[in-house]
Amino acid sequence: CSTENGENPPPARPPRRRGHLPGSQRRRAYNRMRRQKRRKLLFYIAAFLAVIVVAVVLCLTVLFRITAIDVEGDTRYSADDLIAACGIEPGENLFLADTKGAEAALAEKYPYLATVEVHRSLPARIEISVTDAVVSCAAAWNNQYLLLDKTGKVLEITGTPPDGTPVCTGLSVKSAQLGQKVELDDPEQLSLYAEVAGAVSESGLEPVTSIDVSDAFNLKVVCQNEAGNRMTLELGNENYLSKKLRFAKATLEQKLSDSAAGTFDLSLVTQEKSLTFFSLDPVESTPEESPSSEDPDSGTGTSSEESGGEGTASIPEDAPYFVQNGGYTYNGDGTYTDADGNVFDSSGNWLYNENY
């Protein structure tokens, strides 16, 4: 239909649904909801941070007060001295305690401490764990002796080395300070000493009377047996030191008599083989100990039965020293066999075992 003017009327608007808003109103409502959510989120974050701050303040001011300081480990120093020197006092806050500073203070004041660890233990304890260093040798310096551990740390400066302490020769000491590593004219010599001393400690070889590092290609360690006789171990260079000393320890304990003395050359011991040489010192025999040189037919000489059993030759008069101590059988070909079946040549070198 048309109007009176002949124009068509505008189309009728569709009926508005209930709850339906125009586009602009919808955008305003959406933005308002977003702002409300943002405010809630900020409120929750602020509340959470406030709780954290209050908790931290309580922990640092009221809670976790140190109630005890304990010392663990075997040491020459008393627990009271260590606690007093660490700088941490009961009543301090556990988390504000300077544990690293305490470790540094203890290590500086007490040179015999090899390791120092200070750590916190909840709810309110400080634990100090310590271990003492072991004296590896004494080195001469300025008419005194430096007692060194196996790393070269100066543990003590004394006029005379304690009894049983090995003396180290070949170290050119430049300066020394308690609790610090000794300073040498040749810095590489310190690492060489540390290798030798560490290998001696690891092998368990004892008692050691001296260590010689004056020649890097002819390192020497001297040990003493129960009879007071000394055996010089020639180690060569620093390669395979641990194996050389372990081999020496086993050989000295199992193969040689307690009174043997001389030189044990281990310079050719490698990863694959263990080639060694003995050079035993001669010793004067007493009439009771020396073998008889009389005719075996007279009944006073050493017969084959007396020297080890059937089919064995009598021990010659010029037999090596280690054979003269007894317990060996001469095989007639320049070799000797002990009671365990180990066969040695005239120089004392182990060849093989008859039982295997």
Side-chain angles (χ1 to χ4, degrees):
C1 62
S2 60
T3 61
E4 295 177 354
N5 297 331
E7 298 179 355
N8 295 327
R13 293 181 178 180
R16 179 178 295 175
R17 294 192 302 269
R18 186 176 182 180
H20 181 74
L21 297 176
S24 61
Q25 293 182 2
R26 287 198 305 270
R27 285 193 296 272
R28 287 195 295 270
Y30 176 73
N31 292 335
R32 184 166 53 252
M33 292 177 62
R34 289 186 61 187
R35 287 193 295 270
Q36 290 176 353
K37 290 182 178 180
R38 189 179 298 113
R39 292 191 190 99
K40 289 183 179 179
L41 179 61
L42 293 175
F43 171 77
Y44 291 141
I45 292 176
F48 177 75
L49 292 177
V51 172
I52 294 297
V53 171
V54 171
V56 171
V57 171
L58 289 176
C59 289
L60 298 181
T61 57
V62 179
L63 304 176
F64 300 105
R65 294 286 184 177
I66 297 174
T67 58
I69 302 176
D70 299 328
V71 177
E72 300 176 349
D74 296 329
T75 176
R76 64 178 57 204
Y77 306 113
S78 68
D80 293 339
D81 291 341
L82 295 175
I83 293 173
C86 74
I88 299 176
E89 299 288 342
E92 291 185 21
N93 183 267
L94 183 67
F95 297 104
L96 295 180
D98 185 8
T99 55
K100 296 300 182 182
E103 292 175 355
L106 291 173
E108 180 180 1
K109 185 171 183 179
Y110 299 109
Y112 268 95
L113 293 181
T115 61
V116 182
E117 294 181 0
V118 180
H119 49 86
R120 304 174 181 88
S121 177
L122 294 174
R125 302 176 74 87
I126 290 289
E127 295 181 355
I128 303 175
S129 300
V130 297
T131 57
D132 268 3
V134 177
V135 176
S136 292
C137 78
W141 177 63
N142 287 350
N143 297 323
Q144 296 177 308
Y145 283 92
L146 306 176
L147 302 188
L148 308 177
D149 70 355
K150 63 182 180 180
T151 67
K153 177 183 176 182
V154 181
L155 305 178
E156 187 177 345
I157 301 177
T158 181
T160 56
D163 293 339
T165 301
V167 176
C168 184
T169 58
L171 292 179
S172 301
V173 180
K174 183 177 180 181
S175 64
Q177 183 178 353
L178 282 176
Q180 304 296 324
K181 288 188 177 181
V182 62
E183 185 176 356
L184 305 177
D185 293 332
D186 183 4
E188 295 183 357
Q189 201 174 38
L190 181 59
S191 62
L192 181 63
Y193 160 78
E195 289 189 36
V196 177
V200 171
S201 175
E202 179 184 347
S203 68
L205 182 68
E206 59 182 14
V208 174
T209 60
S210 67
I211 298 174
D212 185 359
V213 295
S214 56
D215 186 352
F217 297 97
N218 189 23
L219 303 172
K220 296 179 181 179
V221 172
V222 178
C223 56
Q224 189 171 8
N225 55 31
E226 296 180 356
N229 297 323
R230 296 184 177 183
M231 180 69 71
T232 300
L233 309 180
E234 295 183 348
L235 306 176
N237 58 27
E238 74 276 11
N239 294 333
Y240 311 110
L241 282 176
S242 296
K243 181 180 180 181
K244 293 174 181 177
L245 290 172
R246 289 196 304 268
F247 184 85
K249 181 176 184 293
T251 303
L252 294 177
E253 291 178 349
Q254 301 174 14
K255 309 299 182 184
L256 296 182
S257 65
D258 294 337
S259 60
T263 301
F264 191 4
D265 186 353
L266 299 120
S267 59
L268 297 180
V269 173
T270 64
Q271 185 67 29
E272 295 78 16
K273 61 181 180 179
S274 299
L275 180 60
T276 60
F277 300 93
F278 283 106
S279 177
L280 298 175
D281 294 340
V283 63
E284 295 183 0
S285 301
T286 61
E288 292 79 12
E289 296 174 344
S290 59
S292 174
S293 58
E294 297 182 15
D295 190 342
D297 296 335
S298 65
T300 58
T302 303
S303 66
S304 60
E305 294 182 356
E306 295 173 340
S307 54
E310 297 183 11
T312 58
S314 60
I315 295 178
E317 297 181 3
D318 58 348
Y321 166 74
F322 73 96
V323 174
Q324 298 177 13
N325 291 324
Y328 290 88
T329 300
Y330 181 55
N331 300 322
D333 58 355
T335 63
Y336 301 85
T337 303
D338 65 8
D340 297 326
N342 296 299
V343 180
F344 299 84
D345 63 15
S346 58
S347 297
N349 298 315
W350 181 84
L351 302 176
Y352 58 90
N353 190 294
E354 293 180 338
N355 300 324
Y356 298 98

